[in-house]
Amino acid sequence: MGILICMDTDLCTHVALVGLMGAGKTVIGASLARKSNVRHVDLDRWIQNRYGRSIGVIFNERGEKGFREIETDALKEVLGSEEPVVLSTGGGVIVEDENRSILKENSHVIWLKATPEGLAKRVGEGRGRPLLKDKDPLEVLQLLNAEREENYKEVADLVIDVESGTVEEISDHILALTISKGNK
């Protein structure tokens, strides 16, 4: 079991990365999992594999509400496993009260934070992102940031600014902070 996941000698837990789209949850999660010697799970990919459809198709078929129900079930299943994982969540996972409770009760939550302007540069035109379809990414990200910021604050055990560093530097920083917190 990896050092990152074991927060002290008695308690080992999952680590969940949250943040708006474009914050780097998937790439940082993969790096963190590799360095911690644990499995990485991208929740959107997990859902796509389980349902055999892209997130965009699920949104079109079931709407956002239907997708959020699927997301809650997936979150319960992934964080219900005994094997510790680094979980990269979708940007909107925190909009549901139940999801915030699941995250807080079953994982160490790290908010990967960036400005809407920085995120807009990262997502470009937003291809493959249902909430950006036919919309201005910066406007959508500003709105989502305003709507979700309090939920991210509520659930986060640790906040990391992802606009200053490479994926490797950020995952090393998270690893160092998590180990430090776990050894206090």
Side-chain angles (χ1 to χ4, degrees):
M1 210 175 289
I3 295 172
L4 172 69
I5 302 303
C6 294
M7 301 306 293
D8 60 36
T9 57
D10 299 320
L11 176 66
C12 291
T13 188
H14 304 292
V15 171
L17 303 178
V18 300
L20 288 172
M21 67 179 85
K25 298 177 297 290
T26 299
V27 294
I28 292 169
S31 176
L32 200 54
R34 186 180 66 255
K35 291 174 185 207
S36 303
N37 198 31
V38 298
R39 186 169 60 108
H40 175 242
V41 176
D42 179 285
L43 196 61
D44 283 348
R45 286 187 187 143
W46 190 95
I47 290 168
Q48 289 173 4
N49 290 337
R50 171 63 59 94
Y51 288 87
R53 292 172 159 61
S54 72
I55 300 302
V57 169
I58 295 171
F59 258 76
N60 287 337
E61 291 176 350
R62 299 184 183 212
E64 185 172 359
K65 184 178 190 299
F67 172 75
R68 296 295 172 208
E69 291 169 358
I70 289 170
E71 187 177 54
T72 298
D73 290 342
L75 193 62
K76 287 177 184 175
E77 188 167 337
V78 171
L79 292 182
S81 75
E82 290 186 23
E83 174 195 355
V85 299
V86 172
L87 175 65
S88 298
T89 65
V93 73
I94 48 75
V95 300
E96 299 295 329
D97 293 340
E98 183 176 7
N99 290 353
R100 291 193 308 277
S101 293
I102 293 166
L103 286 163
K104 287 294 284 180
E105 292 170 13
N106 297 289
S107 65
H108 183 74
V109 183
I110 300 172
W111 176 16
L112 301 181
K113 186 176 181 181
T115 63
E117 294 77 14
L119 294 169
K121 288 178 187 174
R122 290 174 178 215
V123 301
E125 295 176 9
R127 287 191 184 99
R129 298 181 186 268
L131 294 179
L132 296 182
K133 188 176 180 183
D134 302 323
K135 297 177 183 160
D136 177 355
L138 178 57
E139 288 179 14
V140 172
L141 287 161
Q142 288 170 330
L143 178 63
L144 290 175
N145 188 60
E147 290 174 353
R148 297 176 178 177
E149 187 170 30
E150 288 304 314
N151 290 334
Y152 287 127
K153 283 180 186 176
E154 174 190 328
V155 76
D157 295 307
L158 183 63
V159 180
I160 300 292
D161 175 0
V162 295
E163 292 185 289
S164 56
T166 66
V167 168
E168 293 303 313
E169 290 168 340
I170 292 166
S171 60
D172 285 342
H173 184 64
I174 292 170
L175 187 59
L177 288 173
T178 307
I179 291 170
S180 172
K181 181 175 179 166
N183 290 332
K184 286 186 178 178

